[in-house]
Amino acid sequence: MDPAELDRILGGLPVYSDANLVLGISHKDDAAVYRLPSGELLVQTVDFFTPVVDDPYDYGSIAAANSLSDVYAMNGRPLFALNICCFPRKHPAELWNAVLRGGADKAIEAGIAIVGGHTVDDQEPKYGLVVTGIVPPGKYWTNEGAKPGDVLILTKPLGTGIITTSLKNETVAVTDAADAIAGMKTLNRAAAEVLARYEVHSCTDVTGNGLIGHSWEIAEASRVGIEFHLSAFPFYSAARKLAESGKFPGGTFSNKRYYGGMVEESAGLDENLVWLLFDAQTSGGLLAALPREQADSAVSELRKAGVHAAAVVGEIIEGGKIHISA
Ligand code: CO
Ligand code: CO
Ligand code: CO
């Protein structure tokens, strides 16, 4: 959904004001935070989407990893989940069983049960999870809190939007997209567990609004600017080559239209790579702001924990703009 369109749709809705709601939709965060009578904080999110890959098991795994990601992006620990299934009746049961198996295996990897769900007949298939988690009071990560002097660490490569679109158009082979498919299936659990040992000032996961869109949410909520270093970004192997074709998904074009005005670029940048910063991601990595002096240790611990793409990709600066330099 075009971010501007979504703003219009959500505009002017009546809102019940609940004293126990710690974090609602005001700062476009990854999940809501709700205080239980015991004082513990509940984290609540939902995500579902149409198939991004052909293999039904991979699709289920990716959708589940993506849904769980919003809980990890809040420094939450998932507790349980519900399936959301919109399945065309015309497809065989085995196919949907494979999708659900992909989701179920991810839930086991996350250490949670899928406790139920709901299925409807739909022309266009969709799958995802409602995920409930918990976060220690005072320790949840939001878009607010990034400070000048912080660096930004990204934990997965970029490029899943153009790669999944190219898979659909058969302009890239599944074998050339293998690293992106594996990356989308990867839980952000290990990344979040390592980052939780550092002083994270702000964190989100990189999904549909692209790297720039989600960065902008941090910049806006934290009232800061961001400087990105294009050469520091990790990209999935097929992404650079596919970016030359310019055949990005619709979401990437609307991200560029909507967030382009918040961005200033140094002269002489590779425009194909700049486009990849706007590319709408599926099950992307965490983007975390933390003090510069902790960055080297955090990156090396992330890599040791199997988060091999982890890299410092930019820094928080004064002002309200995003600047991209070489
Ligand atoms: Co998110
Ligand atoms: Co989400
Ligand atoms: Co029902």
Side-chain angles (χ1 to χ4, degrees):
M1 171 82 56
D2 188 308
E5 184 68 14
L6 188 61
D7 277 348
R8 280 196 293 278
I9 290 169
L10 295 177
L13 292 179
V15 179
Y16 177 74
S17 115
D18 184 332
N20 290 313
L21 182 62
V22 179
L23 188 70
I25 59 176
S26 55
H27 280 167
K28 301 171 184 163
D29 258 294
D30 301 298
V33 178
Y34 191 87
R35 189 180 301 102
L36 294 171
S38 64
E40 287 180 289
L41 297 182
L42 213 61
V43 180
Q44 184 66 59
T45 183
V46 56
D47 243 305
F48 60 105
F49 48 67
T50 56
V52 286
V53 291
D54 262 351
D55 183 276
Y57 179 88
D58 285 347
Y59 167 44
S61 310
I62 291 167
N66 181 76
S67 300
L68 283 153
S69 176
D70 278 329
V71 170
Y72 295 125
M74 301 297 291
N75 195 23
R77 178 170 65 82
L79 294 175
F80 55 85
L82 297 163
N83 279 322
I84 295 182
C85 313
C86 308
F87 292 164
R89 202 163 289 165
K90 61 180 186 246
H91 292 162
E94 295 71 39
L95 193 107
W96 299 120
N97 179 268
V99 173
L100 292 174
R101 241 181 323 110
D105 278 345
K106 274 298 140 187
I108 290 169
E109 199 184 319
I112 61 164
I114 293 179
V115 297
H118 192 73
T119 307
V120 295
D121 185 24
D122 197 344
Q123 297 295 321
E124 207 185 8
K126 296 162 200 87
Y127 174 65
L129 300 177
V130 174
V131 188
T132 301
I134 204 158
V135 70
K139 295 224 173 125
Y140 59 89
W141 301 332
T142 71
N143 292 332
E144 266 184 290
K147 296 177 178 63
D150 287 351
V151 294
L152 283 164
I153 291 177
L154 178 67
T155 67
K156 284 187 191 178
L158 299 175
T160 60
I162 195 158
I163 291 170
T164 55
T165 301
S166 305
L167 281 168
K168 268 180 207 157
N169 301 336
E170 295 177 1
T171 50
V172 67
V174 177
T175 46
D176 292 328
D179 63 339
I181 293 170
M184 290 186 284
K185 286 167 74 173
T186 302
L187 289 179
N188 279 327
R189 179 182 183 169
E193 284 175 357
V194 170
L195 288 168
R197 304 203 289 264
Y198 295 88
E199 197 187 316
V200 172
H201 290 155
S202 181
C203 183
T204 190
D205 60 341
V206 180
T207 52
N209 298 344
L211 184 277
I212 296 291
H214 292 285
S215 304
W216 177 251
E217 290 166 357
I218 288 181
E220 204 179 25
S222 303
R223 297 164 199 267
V224 294
I226 297 173
E227 164 109 28
F228 284 120
H229 306 292
L230 196 53
S231 58
F233 278 92
F235 297 104
Y236 288 113
S237 55
R240 285 165 187 265
K241 182 129 191 64
L242 292 171
E244 286 168 27
S245 75
K247 297 231 165 55
F248 285 95
T252 303
F253 287 96
S254 49
N255 288 341
K256 186 84 153 68
R257 241 190 341 264
Y258 186 71
Y259 298 108
M262 291 77 160
V263 174
E264 289 167 347
E265 286 176 36
S266 297
L269 298 183
D270 180 340
E271 276 309 307
N272 293 328
L273 294 189
V274 173
W275 267 90
L276 286 171
L277 304 195
F278 289 94
D279 192 31
Q281 301 299 282
T282 296
S283 192
L286 299 181
L287 182 72
L290 48 83
R292 175 179 298 282
E293 56 276 16
Q294 297 183 10
D296 286 349
S297 164
V299 168
S300 95
E301 288 299 313
L302 282 163
R303 290 186 179 168
K304 244 187 269 173
V307 187
H308 301 293
V312 171
V313 293
E315 62 230 352
I316 304 294
I317 55 174
E318 306 273 356
K321 278 266 178 188
I322 294 177
H323 191 92
I324 306 172
S325 63

